[in-house]
Amino acid sequence: MSLTELAATSRVTVFPLETLTVAYTTQSGDRRGLGDIGLVTIVDEHGDGDELWRLARDLGGRAQEGDQARWILTQASRARTVRAYMDLPVAQWTAYIRRRFVLDALFANHEVLMTGRMILPGRG
């Protein structure tokens, strides 16, 4: 499967989830800037984002993809709300998107979940 590369500067929340370091940010699907796309990624040069879907299935007990996507977004939203680890208000990043999932309804203010791997320069 080919990866889609995205690069931007935006707010990024970095948090631990089991053995993973996860980064969460939002993107907008149009010019309104609503942040309707949730981007939840692994901060690891070897990760590809599938680890999140496995956690949602194994740890979260979610069998259906839609439920797994909502579980992933819940973890990211929770981490941002409680500032669980690190909040980077203006972070430059590059993400390699492996999976794009369109939700069947708006969830945590997102219509789409994208997962993959993120590089945050200067942040080991």
Side-chain angles (χ1 to χ4, degrees):
M1 173 181 260
S2 65
L3 301 178
T4 301
E5 182 177 330
L6 297 175
T9 300
S10 64
R11 178 182 179 193
V12 176
T13 301
V14 180
F15 63 98
L17 184 60
E18 291 296 302
T19 61
L20 305 174
T21 299
V22 178
Y24 168 59
T25 192
T26 61
Q27 294 287 286
S28 297
D30 60 31
R31 292 183 167 268
R32 295 177 295 168
L34 299 176
D36 54 314
I37 300 169
L39 181 57
V40 184
T41 61
I42 303 300
V43 182
D44 179 341
E45 64 185 51
H46 302 292
D48 65 6
D50 281 348
E51 302 90 338
L52 294 165
W53 295 89
R54 283 191 294 275
L55 272 181
R57 183 191 66 224
D58 299 342
L59 182 64
R62 308 302 194 267
Q64 303 297 317
E65 275 190 324
D67 292 336
Q68 292 170 357
R70 285 184 288 277
W71 186 88
I72 293 167
L73 284 168
T74 297
Q75 304 316 305
S77 179
R78 172 201 53 81
R80 178 164 283 183
T81 300
V82 301
R83 295 184 183 223
Y85 185 60
M86 185 184 322
D87 191 48
L88 307 170
V90 184
Q92 291 183 335
W93 53 265
T94 301
Y96 300 91
I97 306 306
R98 182 171 181 86
R99 189 184 248 182
R100 182 180 191 277
F101 185 84
V102 178
L103 296 154
D104 58 4
L106 192 66
F107 185 81
N109 200 42
H110 299 303
E111 295 175 340
V112 175
L113 168 64
M114 295 193 303
T115 59
R117 175 174 54 94
M118 182 179 284
I119 297 171
L120 290 162
R123 312 241 189 267

